[in-house]
Amino acid sequence: MQARQEASGPWALTGDLESMLEVRSTDVLPAWLADRLTLRFPRARVRVLRVYPGKAARVKGLPSSECFSVLDPAAHEPPMPVGVDATLVEAIRTRGTLSVTAIPGGARLIIALECGGEVRYLVEASGEVSVAAGATLSELASLAAKYFQRLAEGETDPLTRLNNRRVFQEHVDTGLRRWIASGRAHYFAILDIDHFKRINDGFGHLYGDEILVLFANLMRKTFRAGDLLYRFGGEEFVVVYGVERGRGGEQALERFRSAVEAYEFPSVGRVTVSAGFTRIADVATPAATLIDRADRALYRAKTSGRNRVASWDALVAAGELDATATANKDVTLF
């Protein structure tokens, strides 16, 4: 392809790297990379695409790139199936750090950011894009991809490979406004494996760890690809999930509770889960408040017989919980 001469001069790689190392989150790094591309190519269209594996991709081991969807968070539009765009399909299939293709009026470049063999973001610039400094651009893309992997490892629970507790606060801080404005209702839930101590005491911690891994896999299989899944520690998990307006938050949790109850865990057999949840209705709601409300609902589910789902909002409406009270135990985020 005919490369255009870059008017802004060579890439300031050293300055870019110094700036990149100030980024501390996988959610922020793609936006940082998009900003760098916008500075270099001010007339190009630059966007960040969040990659969501469909159920077939998550359950069957990523059989085909067409099983993915991409979402432009800035566009406030539903996810788009990747299969309609062959270039995106190839970027996900090969997990290539940088791909460049010629298009009318310039070029289209895509930087893939992946961790654990799964592409999580695509950063794209198209239109008046110069590849005159292609080697330097490739180097920056490669370093950004490696840094993304390092950040992702620090945000991931090593046993279950879910998000860990450390990044929960940041996700809530950055996500609440976007979630509420998305046109869907969003909920926060705490999931707790019933009688998990008995499993560890009766079968040993290796079997306990296997239960946690299989439980996390059931979460991935049952909840939507865009829902946020966390292991908070021990046998406690958290999910932030969305449903269509007009639908309550209980159905998704009941579906998961039934999936756990029906699953045959090796050597252990039947395992159940209790859940407490609350609606995320206000962007000003602190993370500690969401935890407190869901935890109080979870306590009610546990004391009512376990293997059930309880809603803080419903319990308050029924007069069974005081909306102004706080839980007896302290809420600790970290």
Side-chain angles (χ1 to χ4, degrees), residues 111-126:
I111 299 174
L113 300 175
E114 60 100 6
C115 181
E118 177 184 319
V119 175
R120 299 189 183 183
Y121 287 95
L122 298 170
V123 183
E124 177 192 61
S126 60

Side-chain angles (χ1 to χ4, degrees), residues 4-164:
R4 304 163 88 88
Q5 191 63 37
E6 188 173 351
S8 58
W11 287 69
L13 186 58
T14 301
D16 284 337
L17 292 179
E18 291 175 353
S19 174
M20 181 178 68
L21 293 176
E22 295 177 2
V23 176
R24 294 289 185 266
S25 167
T26 54
D27 284 341
V28 177
L29 186 60
W32 172 89
L33 194 53
D35 287 342
R36 308 321 271 187
L37 294 178
T38 300
L39 287 173
R40 306 303 176 182
F41 312 125
R43 296 184 179 181
R45 180 197 183 200
V46 179
R47 61 177 181 165
V48 173
L49 297 174
R50 179 72 168 91
V51 180
Y52 293 110
K55 180 173 291 188
R58 288 180 290 152
V59 176
K60 298 180 181 178
L62 315 183
S64 169
S65 300
E66 286 82 352
C67 293
F68 293 84
S69 297
V70 292
L71 173 67
D72 180 355
H76 301 294
E77 296 176 352
M80 176 190 74
V82 171
V84 303
D85 190 323
T87 304
L88 295 183
V89 169
E90 185 66 11
I92 294 175
R93 186 186 68 80
T94 63
R95 300 196 295 272
T97 301
L98 174 67
S99 64
V100 182
T101 55
I103 61 174
R108 182 187 188 191
L109 66 86
I110 298 175
I111 299 174
L113 300 175
E114 60 100 6
C115 181
E118 177 184 319
V119 175
R120 299 189 183 183
Y121 287 95
L122 298 170
V123 183
E124 177 192 61
S126 60
E128 295 190 33
V129 173
S130 166
V131 292
T136 308
L137 173 58
S138 180
E139 184 178 359
L140 178 66
S142 177
L143 290 171
K146 290 177 181 177
Y147 188 54
F148 181 86
Q149 291 182 17
R150 183 167 183 176
L151 289 174
E153 287 298 321
E155 297 174 356
T156 303
D157 174 61
L159 179 65
T160 63
R161 308 308 298 171
L162 298 180
N163 293 318
N164 62 24

Side-chain angles (χ1 to χ4, degrees), residues 274-292:
S274 297
F277 73 101
T278 184
R279 181 166 179 181
I280 304 173
D282 186 352
V283 295
T285 304
T289 299
L290 295 175
I291 293 175
D292 176 71

